[in-house]
């Protein structure tokens, strides 16, 4: 319809009051929640400092690694626990701010919302680590796979311990415990270069594979548990 | 006054009755104790041929602890002797070149012939004369000797060398020998304690100020008679005492383990293990190290309390605690004046001096001064901010 | 429309928070009264599907409580709830609307409408941390109505509201009760006395009163005291 005509009609005639509006809306307003739309919507609700912090840490990893050749990969990997901390902190945001109950009573299962948010953050971190690994491997002279293992292991270790602590310790204390864990893993990772330099020899690589597998399994287990427990209140 | 101590007790309880803090302290104390204990491969259990003082030989099976005990006895066998010509004469006559791959020979030559494992390098064991030893282990002399061989080594000016030489005149010669394995291990491990200290202090103190607000008690607390002025002083006092307590716990973890496993002789001159001109003993070095650690803890604690008070957020306070840790970890420049470099031994070694107003100050003085000023500054700022926040409006 | 609760129980070690509760609720205002610790909040949380019962079932017209379809028509206002400090009132409603599956344009229209309804239109773009307690409560009421619920569960909804707001809210509930099942838990007798169609009383995990209520009755407080053994005045 011509816009001018539409405007003129609107001005000339008054629309009759709606009848049965509420019933009509109830019957027709239910829309399906597609996974992609869910992911995008929830990604928008991830707190801005999770995105900003991740980018800053990524930059920090590259800056530190550039300044510490040939120990590029050790210096860089010391910051990955802080990246994991951002992810764990985001997962516990609803609980920390007392929004858990409200979100649980909504149509969208909280587990889906949480999964979508964690997927968004996890994808970003995977991308950042995926970009860091080849760069650090060139600077540090280690293989890409080896570098990836050194970057991922402290990340997954922090994530696993952080998720367990978030489950057990409620509120701000839980986040405090996660922060302390991330800081500890960060410091120990950096100290290990001087205290136990033998850990970074080629011969120790099989041990790193085992450690990575254990951390991956633990993180996976904790993640599944966290999603399952988000379906209902765990305490009353 | 009575109220002050009652409030103080409650604030201390609020700080210390947290499983997270105790868990972290236990974990770190265990880590530090583990790093302070002897390196197990140095004391392999097995079958040994033991040579007694009278020359007779026996074959015995020894456990790790027995090997460790025997080595420790030998290490302290010559404690208290003046390191004069007769001392070195005895060493030249009885010392054999250590075959590190043959543990029985190692114990054989080191223990029951009464020869202590004093720390001399491979090429120096031939120079067992007082002149050679003091030339290479004295403060200024050792510096000059190394400088002669490695021209790039050090950059002390003549004025600085004169300063150190004057100080060295007060060092008693000849040195009195004491085994220093314990102090070496202590010096190596205390720097880990220093590195981790801000993290523990952060966890300890980050909840001190924000907690009332978070638990919605600030209205009740601030409307009470002592809820503003006095409570601020109590919280600062509790925070300061807790910070020093954390430093003491970590310090004692390291010192206690070194004392137990290696033994530490408090009267030993520090020149036995440091290229230093300070006329102090091991006991005095330990006191000064604890003082520096306590001041660093107060400075970190003050920073944490200030940030958590300004932001009213315990995570912000903990993040502030990580700043000195990250600086220590990643600022690796050799001239970096970070707490870590100080605790690595820069405080007691012959090094460049700081010139202020025509006077020379060494790193020990500079460290203690900077830490003291920093700690006082942060604590005063905390007090001012508390006053501004609670008294003049929130 | 009928909410069917069959033999519902929630046990914690040796404590029975809800013990064998069976109910049938239809459209209208269903008041729920009880002493502190009676199990009202636990019951309500189970009816919202956010707490798993030890035994029993809950269904709305045959739709199980743990299904998405049930939550799609549920509105819930908890007794105590938090907020993300950097959210404005409007952000808060839009966020929850997204979780309730509303499309963005609908969510926006509905949010503005509800802010107007609860008297927060002027402060909708201000951060929640600047709101008073009563304003936050009104915001909570607004979020419960976002998805035009057919089952509305409100736990102490008038806490923190001034008398004028309380009357306004009562009238709103009375209006909603015409075609919605409303379960209203409160300690304030006057909130429920003149609008309830059905009265429930709960004590120590059991329902001790479950009967239709005449809105013209004025003896609810006396009845409450009789049921719970109140002191002689």
């Amino acid at each position: 319809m011509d816009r001018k005509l539409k405007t003129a009609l609107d001005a000339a005639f008054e629309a009759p009051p709606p009848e049965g509006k509420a019933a009509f809306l109830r019957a027709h307003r239910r829309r399906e929640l597609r996974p992609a739309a869910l992911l995008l919507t929830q990604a928008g609700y991830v707190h801005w400092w999770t995105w900003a912090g991740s980018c800053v840490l990524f930059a920090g990893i590259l800056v530190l690694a550039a300044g510490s050749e040939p120990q590029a990969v050790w210096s860089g990997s010391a910051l990955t626990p802080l990246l994991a901390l951002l992810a764990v902190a985001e997962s516990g945001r609803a609980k920390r701010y007392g929004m858990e109950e409200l979100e649980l009573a909504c149509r969208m299962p909280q587990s889906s919302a949480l999964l979508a948010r964690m997927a968004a953050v996890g994808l970003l971190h995977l991308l950042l680590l995926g970009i860091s690994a080849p760069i650090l491997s060139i600077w540090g002279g280690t293989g890409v796979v080896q570098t990836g293992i050194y970057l991922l292991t402290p990340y997954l270790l922090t994530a696993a311990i952080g998720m367990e602590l978030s489950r057990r310790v409620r509120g701000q204390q839980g986040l405090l415990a996660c922060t302390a864990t991330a800081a500890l893993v960060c410091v120990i990772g950096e100290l290990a270069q001087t205290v136990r330099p033998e850990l970074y020899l080629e011969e120790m690589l099989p041990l790193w594979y085992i450690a990575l597998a254990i951390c991956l399994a633990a993180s996976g287990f904790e993640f599944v548990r966290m999603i399952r427990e988000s379906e209902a209140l765990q305490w009353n | 006054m009575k109220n002050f101590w009652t409030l103080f007790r409650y604030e201390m309880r609020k700080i210390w009755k947290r499983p997270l803090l105790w868990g972290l302290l236990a974990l770190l104390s265990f880590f530090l104790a583990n790093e302070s204990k002897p390196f197990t491969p140095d004391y392999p259990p097995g079958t040994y041929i033991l040579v007694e003082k009278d020359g007779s030989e026996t074959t015995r099976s020894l456990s790790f602890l027995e090997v460790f005990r025997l080595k420790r006895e030998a290490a302290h066998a010559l404690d208290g002797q003046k390191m004069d010509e007769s001392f070195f004469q005895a060493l030249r006559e009885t010392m054999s070149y250590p075959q590190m791959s043959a543990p029985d020979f190692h114990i054989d030559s080191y223990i029951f012939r009464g020869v202590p494992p004093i720390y001399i390098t491979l090429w120096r064991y031939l120079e067992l004369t007082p002149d050679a030893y003091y030339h290479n282990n004295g403060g200024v002399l050792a510096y000059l000797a190394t400088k002669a061989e490695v021209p790039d080594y050090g950059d002390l000016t003549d004025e600085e060398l004169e300063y150190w030489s004057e100080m060295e005149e007060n060092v008693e010669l000849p040195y009195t020998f004491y085994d220093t394995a314990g102090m070496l291990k202590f010096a190596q491990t205390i720097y880990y304690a220093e590195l981790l200290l801000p993290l523990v202090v952060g966890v300890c103190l980050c909840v001190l100020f924000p907690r009332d607000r978070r638990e919605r008690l600030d209205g009740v607390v601030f409307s009470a008679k002592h809820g503003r002025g006095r409570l601020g002083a109590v919280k600062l006092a509790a925070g300061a005492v807790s910070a020093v307590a954390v430093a003491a716990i970590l310090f004692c973890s390291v010192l206690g383990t070194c004392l137990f496993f290696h033994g530490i002789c408090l009267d030993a001159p520090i020149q036995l293990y440091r290229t230093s001109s300070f006329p102090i003993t091991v006991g005095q070095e330990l006191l000064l190290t604890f003082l520096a650690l306590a001041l660093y803890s107060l400075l970190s604690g003050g920073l944490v309390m200030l940030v958590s008070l300004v932001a009213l957020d315990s995570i912000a306070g903990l993040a502030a605690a990580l700043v000195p840790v990250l600086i220590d970890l990643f600022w690796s420049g050799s001239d970096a004046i970070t707490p870590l470099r100080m605790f690595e031994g820069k405080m007691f070694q012959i090094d460049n001096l700081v010139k202020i107003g025509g006077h020379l100050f060494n790193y020990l003085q500079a460290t203690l001064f900077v830490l003291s000023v920093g700690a006082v500054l942060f604590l005063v700022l905390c007090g001012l901010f508390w006053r501004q926040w609670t008294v003049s409006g929130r | 429309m009928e909410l069917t609760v069959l033999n519902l129980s929630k046990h914690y070690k040796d404590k029975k928070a809800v013990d064998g509760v069976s109910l049938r609720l239809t459209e209208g205002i269903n008041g729920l009264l009880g002493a502190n610790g009676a199990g009202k909040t636990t019951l309500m949380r189970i009816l919202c599907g956010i707490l798993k019962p030890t035994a029993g079932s809950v269904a709305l017209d045959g739709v199980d409580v743990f299904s998405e379809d049930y939550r799609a028509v549920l509105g819930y206002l908890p007794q105590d709830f938090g907020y993300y400090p950097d959210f404005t009132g409007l952000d808060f409603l839009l966020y929850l609307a997204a979780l309730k599956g509303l499309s963005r344009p609908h969510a926006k229209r509905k949010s503005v409408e509800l802010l107007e309804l609860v008297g927060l239109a002027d402060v909708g773009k201000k951060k929640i941390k600047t709101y008073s307690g009563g304003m936050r409560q009104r915001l909570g009421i607004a979020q419960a109505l976002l998805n035009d619920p057919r089952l509305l569960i409100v736990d102490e909804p008038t806490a923190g509201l001034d008398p004028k707001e309380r009357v306004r809210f009562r009238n709103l509930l009375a209006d909603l009760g015409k075609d919605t099942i409303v379960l209203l838990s409160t300690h304030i007798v006057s909130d429920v006395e003149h609008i309830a169609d059905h009265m429930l009383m709960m004590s120590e995990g059991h329902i001790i009163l479950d009967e239709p209520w005449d809105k013209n009755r004025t003896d609810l407080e006396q009845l409450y005291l009789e049921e719970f053994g109140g002191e002689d005045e």
Side-chain angles (χ1 to χ4, degrees):
Chain A
M1 186 188 277
D2 180 48
R3 187 172 278 195
K4 275 190 186 165
L5 178 60
K6 190 170 184 295
T7 316
L9 283 170
D10 272 339
F13 297 100
E14 205 176 300
E19 287 177 17
K21 178 182 174 184
F24 175 80
L25 286 174
R26 270 188 195 159
H28 293 90
R29 281 293 175 183
R30 285 276 305 278
R31 61 182 196 129
E32 289 309 309
L33 300 166
R34 282 187 292 273
L38 177 64
L39 183 70
L40 279 169
T41 319
Q42 289 305 311
Y45 284 112
V46 170
H47 207 266
W48 70 267
W49 51 253
T50 302
W51 303 122
S54 301
C55 295
V56 166
L57 282 171
F58 169 66
I61 288 171
L62 293 179
V63 164
L64 283 169
S68 335
E69 299 176 51
Q71 293 157 315
V73 70
W74 327 133
S75 299
S77 70
L79 283 187
T80 58
L82 300 179
L83 212 54
L85 173 67
L86 288 173
V88 174
E90 183 59 38
S91 74
R93 221 156 65 95
K95 217 183 273 188
R96 264 198 322 279
Y97 290 113
M99 286 285 291
E100 203 181 16
E101 210 169 338
L102 281 175
E103 291 187 14
L104 275 168
C106 292
R107 176 190 160 198
M108 183 187 302
Q110 201 197 23
S111 52
S112 303
L114 186 60
L115 193 60
R117 272 190 284 219
M118 288 295 98
V121 174
L123 280 170
L124 173 69
H125 287 177
L126 196 63
L127 179 70
L128 294 177
L129 290 174
I131 295 171
S132 309
I135 299 172
L136 262 59
S137 78
I138 293 168
W139 286 342
T142 49
V144 176
V145 172
Q146 192 176 352
T147 307
I149 290 169
Y150 293 143
L151 289 175
L152 265 180
T153 308
Y155 179 93
L156 290 171
L157 175 68
T158 309
I161 299 174
M163 281 190 278
E164 177 68 19
L165 286 170
S166 292
R167 249 182 7 93
R168 287 176 182 274
V169 185
R170 294 194 64 81
Q172 196 79 323
Q173 286 289 299
L175 184 59
L176 210 61
C178 295
T179 310
T181 304
L184 208 56
V185 175
C186 173
V187 169
I188 288 172
E190 187 65 19
L191 264 184
Q193 298 171 43
T194 36
V195 174
R196 296 280 183 271
E198 61 270 20
L199 281 174
Y200 296 96
L201 298 172
E202 284 278 340
E203 302 89 76
M204 298 299 260
L205 209 48
L207 277 180
W208 279 93
Y209 277 113
I210 294 169
L212 178 65
I214 292 170
C215 291
L216 189 61
S219 306
F221 175 74
E222 287 294 334
F223 185 71
V224 166
R225 210 166 169 185
M226 179 181 71
I227 297 294
R228 276 216 187 110
E229 287 186 2
S230 66
E231 286 165 9
L233 286 177
Q234 296 306 309
W235 67 282
N236 190 20
Chain B
M1 206 51 196
K2 195 170 120 186
N3 282 97
F4 184 93
W5 293 112
T6 307
L7 288 170
F8 180 82
R9 272 201 308 278
Y10 277 113
E11 289 297 327
M12 288 295 279
R13 203 171 111 175
K14 279 158 69 179
I15 293 171
W16 288 93
K17 215 174 171 189
R18 287 155 61 217
L20 173 64
L21 179 59
W22 285 107
L24 188 60
L25 273 170
L27 187 69
L28 292 181
S29 298
F30 175 77
F31 165 71
L32 290 170
N34 192 57
E35 289 305 307
S36 304
K37 69 174 178 42
F39 188 51
T40 311
D42 280 346
Y43 308 95
T47 309
Y48 286 85
I49 300 167
L50 302 177
V51 180
E52 303 293 340
K53 279 185 180 156
D54 60 7
S56 60
E57 291 184 358
T58 50
T59 304
R60 264 175 62 191
S61 181
L62 298 176
S63 66
F64 159 73
L65 276 177
E66 284 171 319
V67 172
F68 173 73
R69 188 180 56 79
L70 287 169
K71 280 202 170 184
R72 201 186 136 162
E73 273 174 21
H76 290 281
L78 295 179
D79 280 0
Q81 288 194 21
K82 291 283 183 194
M83 294 176 73
D84 53 17
E85 176 55 43
S86 59
F87 178 87
F88 286 99
Q89 177 71 23
L91 287 185
R92 281 196 298 274
E93 285 168 4
T94 57
M95 176 75 80
S96 310
Y97 175 53
Q99 300 287 334
M100 299 306 287
S101 59
D104 54 336
F105 183 84
H106 188 86
I107 293 214
D108 173 20
S109 60
Y110 272 71
I111 297 179
F112 289 97
R113 288 182 183 165
V115 176
I118 62 173
Y119 293 90
I120 53 173
T121 58
L122 171 61
W123 58 267
R124 281 183 174 169
Y125 93 101
L126 294 169
E127 298 169 3
L128 287 172
T129 61
D131 280 346
Y133 179 80
Y134 287 104
H135 196 75
N136 290 303
N137 287 283
V140 173
L141 280 176
Y143 172 85
L144 291 171
T146 312
K147 183 91 178 159
E149 288 163 21
V150 184
D152 287 339
Y153 176 78
D155 56 357
L156 294 182
T157 62
D158 291 337
E159 192 184 6
E160 288 169 339
L161 280 170
E162 196 187 321
Y163 175 95
W164 291 117
S165 298
E166 273 176 28
M167 186 182 282
E168 228 172 279
E169 280 167 13
N170 296 314
V171 175
E172 192 187 317
L173 288 171
Y175 301 152
T176 305
F177 176 80
Y178 291 96
D179 177 66
T180 53
M183 253 333 266
L184 276 169
K185 200 68 184 174
F186 175 85
Q188 185 188 337
T189 317
I190 198 65
Y191 113 95
Y192 302 144
E194 179 278 330
L195 186 66
L196 296 164
L197 182 65
L199 176 63
V200 189
V201 170
V203 170
C204 182
L205 297 181
C206 65
V207 295
L208 184 62
F209 286 105
R211 199 169 172 179
D212 290 332
R213 166 80 173 251
R214 196 182 76 226
E215 288 169 13
R216 300 178 206 177
L217 284 170
D218 50 346
V220 171
V221 167
F222 295 151
S223 61
K225 182 180 171 190
H226 296 305
R228 297 189 177 201
R230 188 170 288 188
L231 183 63
V234 167
K235 282 186 186 281
L236 284 176
V241 168
S242 299
V244 174
V246 165
I249 290 170
L250 296 183
F251 183 85
C252 290
S253 303
V254 179
L255 183 64
T257 314
C258 291
L259 270 171
F260 179 79
F261 282 105
H262 307 282
I264 292 178
C265 299
L266 300 178
D267 296 325
I270 67 170
Q271 282 72 28
L272 291 177
Y273 57 92
R274 289 193 187 286
T275 307
S276 178
S277 298
F278 281 93
I280 58 174
T281 62
V282 163
Q284 287 164 330
E285 180 182 320
L286 286 172
L287 275 174
L288 287 166
T289 305
F290 177 70
L291 179 63
L293 201 68
L295 286 172
Y296 184 50
S297 190
L298 279 172
L299 184 144
S300 307
L303 175 65
V304 167
M305 287 192 285
L306 180 65
V307 172
S308 66
L309 176 58
V310 169
L312 280 174
D313 189 332
S314 47
I315 300 299
L318 188 56
L322 290 180
V323 168
V325 178
L326 292 174
I327 289 173
D328 264 342
L329 279 179
F330 296 112
W331 187 9
S332 56
S334 59
D335 294 332
I337 311 297
T338 67
L340 188 64
R341 302 288 169 256
M342 294 301 121
F343 281 91
E344 274 179 330
K346 214 171 162 77
M347 277 195 297
F348 300 105
Q349 284 173 352
I350 295 176
D351 213 322
N352 299 104
L353 301 168
V354 178
K355 196 165 188 176
I356 301 170
H359 295 283
L360 289 170
F361 297 95
N362 55 58
Y363 274 135
L364 175 63
Q365 292 164 326
T367 302
L368 294 176
F369 178 74
V370 167
L371 290 176
S372 306
V373 166
V376 167
L377 179 70
F378 283 128
L379 290 171
V380 165
L381 282 173
C382 273
L384 287 174
F385 197 82
W386 168 269
R387 205 180 149 70
Q388 198 263 321
W389 184 62
T390 62
V391 174
S392 60
R394 290 159 56 226
Chain C
M1 201 169 43
E2 188 177 76
L3 178 71
T4 312
V5 178
L6 285 175
N7 211 24
L8 202 63
S9 293
K10 180 69 180 173
H11 299 163
Y12 298 99
K13 289 179 187 171
D14 54 351
K15 160 109 178 135
K16 290 178 185 172
V18 175
D19 192 13
V21 166
S22 294
L23 299 168
R24 282 186 199 281
L25 303 178
T26 55
E27 286 96 336
I29 308 293
N30 300 273
L32 176 61
L33 297 174
N36 291 326
K40 303 190 297 298
T41 300
T42 307
L43 174 65
M44 286 179 143
R45 283 177 171 164
I46 297 172
L47 296 181
C48 290
I50 62 174
L51 200 61
K52 288 201 168 104
T54 314
S57 66
V58 178
L60 180 68
D61 285 344
V63 177
D64 183 67
V65 66
F66 291 110
S67 71
E68 194 182 296
D69 289 338
Y70 182 102
R71 287 198 305 279
V73 296
L74 170 71
Y76 176 48
L77 174 61
Q79 186 175 9
D80 190 21
F81 62 93
Y83 56 92
Y84 296 125
D86 54 327
F87 274 19
T88 63
L90 188 61
D91 288 335
F92 183 81
L93 291 179
L94 288 175
Y95 172 70
L96 285 166
L99 286 175
K100 289 176 192 246
L102 274 63
S103 68
R104 184 106 182 140
H106 180 54
K108 253 188 167 165
R109 264 198 303 275
K110 195 73 187 172
S111 301
V112 168
E113 191 185 300
L114 285 169
L115 284 172
E116 182 74 45
L117 182 70
V118 298
L120 291 176
D122 294 339
V123 294
K125 291 194 174 166
K126 292 195 175 156
K127 293 204 172 147
I128 302 174
K129 60 185 177 191
T130 64
Y131 286 11
S132 67
M135 288 161 82
R136 282 181 212 153
Q137 191 66 11
R138 282 186 271 156
L139 189 65
I141 293 163
Q143 66 78 29
L145 302 175
L146 272 170
N147 56 334
D148 296 316
R150 298 181 71 194
L151 171 62
L152 179 64
I153 296 176
V154 286
D155 198 348
E156 311 268 357
T158 57
L161 297 184
D162 63 43
K164 186 179 158 194
E165 285 302 322
R166 219 181 280 153
V167 167
R168 202 166 149 184
F169 181 68
R170 259 208 313 270
N171 295 338
L172 171 65
L173 276 188
D175 214 30
L176 283 169
K178 288 172 190 160
D179 54 2
T180 304
I181 300 173
V182 178
L183 181 61
L184 162 62
S185 162
T186 183
H187 283 142
I188 302 169
V189 165
S190 60
D191 274 351
V192 79
E193 193 171 33
H194 300 297
I195 60 170
D197 301 299
H198 197 94
M199 199 60 68
L200 301 161
M201 285 190 192
M202 200 164 174
S203 174
E204 291 179 3
H206 301 282
I207 297 287
I208 57 171
L209 184 89
D210 179 1
E211 60 185 39
W213 180 259
D214 181 359
K215 289 172 197 176
N216 295 317
R217 282 176 72 169
T218 54
D219 60 342
L220 180 58
E221 191 165 354
Q222 195 185 339
L223 180 64
Y224 180 92
L225 291 170
E226 277 169 23
E227 291 293 337
F228 290 100
E231 289 174 7
D232 293 333
E233 287 188 26

